Amino acid sequence: MKDDRATRLYRTMALIRGFETAAARLLRAGELSGNLHLSLGQEAVAAGVCDVLAPSDTITTTHRGHGHCLAKGGDPRRMFAELTGRVTGYCKGRAGSMHIADPGSGILGATAIVGGGLPIAVGAAWSAQVRGTDEVAVAFFGDGAVAEGAFHESLNLAALWRLPVVFVCENNQYAELLPTDMHLAAEPYRLAEPYGIPGVRVDGNDALAVRAAAEAAVGRARSGAGPTLLECVTYRTSGHYEGDPQRYRDRAEVEEWRRRDPLDRLRPALPDGLAAEIDALTETSLEAAAAAALGDPEATAVDLLDDVYGEHRGPVPAAPVPATGPGAGHRSGRTIKYREAVAEALGEEMERDPAVVVFGEDVARAGGTFLATRGLLDRFGGSRVRDTPISEGALIGAAVGAAMTGLRPVVEIMFADFLTLAADQLVNHAAKMRSVSGGEFSVPMVVRVIGAAGKAAGPQHGQSLEGWLAHVPGLKVVAPGSPADLKGLLKSAVRDPDPVIVLESLALWGLKGEVPGGDHLVPIGRAAVTRPGTDVSLVTWGAAHARATEAARLLDLDGIDAEVVDLRSLMPLDREAVLATLRRTGRLVVVHDAVAPYGPGAEIAALAAGPGFAWLKAPVRRVAPPFAHVPLPEPLQRAYYPGAEEIAAAARESLTAAPAGAGR
Ligand SMILES: Cc1ncc(C[n+]2csc(CCOP(=O)(O)OP(=O)(O)O)c2C)c(N)n1
């Protein structure tokens, strides 16, 4: 069978083989930073699967994904540039071999996190379904990923929603150093059956066989019949990483698999002499690509802040601080509850933009565990408002994939405590995707959680994790303390180009407040002075804002004029607002519901002790819960969360304390 198809597959495999051989040479020559994980011997999987994909189809891949990226249309020169730390690389040379992402060729990203790409492919497939296209998403992963929760969560979700996704397990028979039978209790392809989807095992060193199996799986996905799990049994003849002494397997085994080399196997299917011609041409063009990449400028340190966030370089808002509180100048006379602000904001955004979708556990039929999304299903239908399984990792990952492919997903995760189950997708993927794509991918997604708590249902249903979240470059974190701010910040979050975590508070759930009319937006990264004052500043956010305001009232009875500043956003932080209030009063008390040690209050105190030092008249006070877990009983909660009296006491202390700083 001397056909074009075999020639095409051979060309792709030769390109992968040549690229990786050249990359290994560059490593030995000291031109390459970091590890290099090659896929020598596995080329047929990438070539066979990608041969049946259209340019608009998408893939996610792994730390060993050079081949998948090249087969999907990645540019060898840009890949060499990335490996060698050049500004012309896919990530501007900052991330290296394990991180190639390219919207232009449908590469949603290689990830160094085992299993990390599966939920993202599921999200891309869901996005294709919602947008009504016939695009297919493919997740490439190793046998090691099959033991990860991400694999099972992804298969369940994809099967449940009949998503156009193909899961390609590249079983090279080792997960790092362990053979498959020592780390998996079942053969990968068999795991499809319990999820009700086809599980197909194919000889992964036979490019034509891989292609045929992939064609069937992709066709099935495109026709709307749902996902397939394709296990390609192959072998990597190189070490786990370049330089690996490979003590975990014997030479005879490697030699045996070399005899089954996928390029050698396909050669007879090509016209005489063509394979040698392709090999020579490929080598010449790759040499030129590598040389050109090495001639490009190296990545420089001044670029480090680029591409962490979308609309500005670094997380510092450029606009000035408003002089007064939320809603100033927009009096509508209309009051709503804090919780009602959610459906109002989302309803308006969904009307405005058909790309906005809302999903999460019980958000649709029940209208949310806390009834925040009530009514949205009836208004917008099941395609845009969806109940999901209890799969926090897959949900955040699906939001990442959906956001990268044209949707604006809003996902509800109930309590911030449960974000820990999705930490990989949040911290390693949502937060980094813009950066590892060299700024080419945006991840406009919103995660709503009960977070800046102030009221709890025990140690695992009430943590205030804003300090933890705001510490992650790439994420934005807001904690609205009023219905107007919740509505305005949520609407801004939906329109934001970056992942935004909206920390809501159960303590404020029934709080009523006036909400401005019209298209009410509160800018992310802008604080509000909710009570002007001259003697001491109470800087706060979330549910603690109400208690700080009460403390200001108590202080007023003593003749102390406290200013209350509601930060509203933790990242970006309105540094100017903190410095401005310090300039006005010279005294700073930071009030929050996250535990004090290593908490977000320390960041604000550092601001006062640094750029604000000249205005500081007294030591900064932090009023926050102790370094302990959130208790369940009400009396213990009252002891745990700082009350108005405690806040007022700290403010009084700051007025009587010995001068600090310049003391002016
Ligand atoms: C979540 C996670 N755990 C551990 C690692 C360390 N690690 C890097 S590669 C690898 C082996 C992965 O095996 P497999 O998925 O079979 O892919 P292969 O390397 O064989 O292509 C491991 C454990 C990681 N990168 N991510």
Side-chain angles (χ1 to χ4, degrees), residues 60-364:
T60 62
T61 173
T62 77
H63 61 288
R64 207 181 294 289
H66 304 135
H68 310 131
C69 296
L70 286 167
K72 189 63 180 62
D75 171 11
R77 175 181 166 156
R78 282 188 78 188
M79 287 176 60
F80 277 129
E82 187 52 45
L83 268 58
T84 56
R86 271 29 193 204
V87 291
T88 46
Y90 276 109
C91 179
K92 300 181 179 162
R94 291 185 296 231
S97 157
M98 293 189 275
H99 302 283
I100 307 295
D102 179 28
S105 39
I107 302 167
L108 298 185
T111 173
I113 307 297
V114 170
L118 279 86
I120 297 171
V122 167
W126 179 43
S127 164
Q129 193 185 61
V130 173
R131 288 181 289 112
T133 75
D134 71 347
E135 291 159 19
V136 170
V138 172
F140 288 100
F141 52 96
D143 44 299
V146 172
E148 288 281 3
F151 170 87
H152 298 275
E153 290 190 23
S154 296
L155 257 67
N156 184 56
L157 190 58
L160 196 66
W161 292 0
R162 287 169 78 96
L163 296 179
V165 58
V166 181
F167 298 103
V168 179
C169 175
E170 197 163 37
N171 182 358
N172 62 13
Q173 306 184 51
Y174 284 89
E176 200 153 309
L177 316 182
L178 269 190
T180 307
D181 59 359
M182 288 184 73
H183 71 89
L184 287 182
E187 292 162 308
Y189 79 100
R190 290 188 190 279
L191 295 170
E193 198 203 326
Y195 294 107
I197 64 174
V200 180
R201 176 178 260 190
V202 65
D203 178 348
N205 279 19
D206 179 343
L208 290 163
V210 172
R211 189 190 183 284
E215 190 169 35
V218 168
R220 193 180 126 77
R222 236 187 265 295
S223 73
T228 301
L229 170 63
L230 187 60
E231 179 189 351
C232 304
V233 181
T234 179
Y235 194 86
R236 95 182 119 67
T237 51
S238 46
H240 168 60
Y241 58 91
E242 274 305 279
D244 172 7
Q246 301 187 54
R247 293 194 191 92
Y248 49 92
R249 59 185 182 183
D250 59 45
R251 299 306 316 158
E253 182 185 290
V254 181
E255 286 313 317
E256 163 60 21
W257 278 94
R258 282 214 170 101
R259 281 192 283 279
R260 302 188 213 170
D261 184 86
L263 280 88
D264 293 346
R265 274 177 68 178
L266 195 61
R267 250 181 221 112
L270 268 62
D272 287 347
L274 184 56
E277 201 179 300
I278 291 173
D279 290 346
L281 275 175
T282 306
E283 196 178 329
T284 315
S285 73
L286 286 171
E287 267 170 22
L294 285 175
D296 290 338
E298 293 189 46
T300 54
V302 287
D303 297 327
L304 286 178
L305 280 179
D306 278 355
D307 306 325
V308 177
Y309 292 96
E311 76 283 6
H312 46 68
R313 196 173 185 278
V316 183
V321 190
T324 52
H330 302 275
R331 306 220 68 85
S332 69
R334 192 174 67 90
T335 58
I336 61 170
K337 284 185 186 158
Y338 187 84
R339 128 178 118 62
E340 291 165 346
V342 175
E344 211 172 278
L346 294 180
E348 286 177 16
E349 291 307 296
M350 293 179 85
E351 289 281 2
R352 189 187 57 78
D353 182 354
V356 180
V357 292
V358 171
F359 69 117
E361 295 152 24
D362 288 328
V363 299

Side-chain angles (χ1 to χ4, degrees), residues 303-568:
D303 297 327
L304 286 178
L305 280 179
D306 278 355
D307 306 325
V308 177
Y309 292 96
E311 76 283 6
H312 46 68
R313 196 173 185 278
V316 183
V321 190
T324 52
H330 302 275
R331 306 220 68 85
S332 69
R334 192 174 67 90
T335 58
I336 61 170
K337 284 185 186 158
Y338 187 84
R339 128 178 118 62
E340 291 165 346
V342 175
E344 211 172 278
L346 294 180
E348 286 177 16
E349 291 307 296
M350 293 179 85
E351 289 281 2
R352 189 187 57 78
D353 182 354
V356 180
V357 292
V358 171
F359 69 117
E361 295 152 24
D362 288 328
V363 299
R365 289 199 318 162
T369 310
F370 308 113
L371 305 180
T373 48
R374 210 153 49 164
L376 294 180
L377 176 65
D378 290 342
R379 276 175 74 191
F380 299 101
S383 167
R384 293 179 65 195
V385 184
R386 283 213 177 177
D387 286 317
T388 69
I390 306 161
S391 297
E392 287 77 7
L395 300 189
I396 300 282
V400 175
M404 291 169 77
T405 51
L407 296 187
R408 292 210 164 236
V410 180
V411 55
E412 178 179 308
I413 300 283
M414 284 191 218
F415 288 96
D417 311 66
F418 310 158
L419 284 178
T420 56
L421 280 87
D424 169 46
Q425 287 302 328
L426 206 54
V427 174
N428 289 316
H429 295 94
K432 292 179 187 159
M433 205 52 89
R434 175 184 295 283
S435 164
V436 297
S437 64
E440 290 190 31
F441 271 118
S442 278
V443 187
M445 61 183 269
V446 179
V447 183
R448 294 184 37 247
V449 292
I450 299 295
K455 175 173 179 165
Q460 292 165 342
H461 285 75
Q463 288 174 91
S464 298
L465 291 178
E466 56 268 37
W468 189 70
L469 294 161
H471 196 62
V472 178
L475 297 183
K476 290 178 178 170
V477 183
V478 301
S482 69
D485 282 351
L486 176 50
K487 180 173 178 187
L489 281 168
L490 184 49
K491 280 167 66 77
S492 293
V494 170
R495 300 181 195 189
D496 198 273
D498 294 312
V500 184
I501 320 289
V502 180
L503 299 174
E504 298 164 7
S505 171
L506 218 45
L508 304 177
W509 223 233
L511 177 78
K512 279 194 144 191
E514 187 177 347
V515 172
D519 195 17
H520 168 59
L521 293 167
V522 171
I524 295 174
R526 207 81 68 74
V529 177
T530 55
R531 184 194 189 282
T534 51
D535 294 334
V536 57
S537 300
L538 308 179
V539 171
T540 187
W541 60 89
H545 174 253
R547 281 170 275 131
T549 306
E550 172 60 10
R553 197 187 62 79
L554 297 178
L555 290 165
D556 197 36
L557 299 177
D558 293 351
I560 299 170
D561 189 18
E563 175 153 300
V564 181
V565 178
D566 186 351
L567 287 180
R568 309 191 287 194

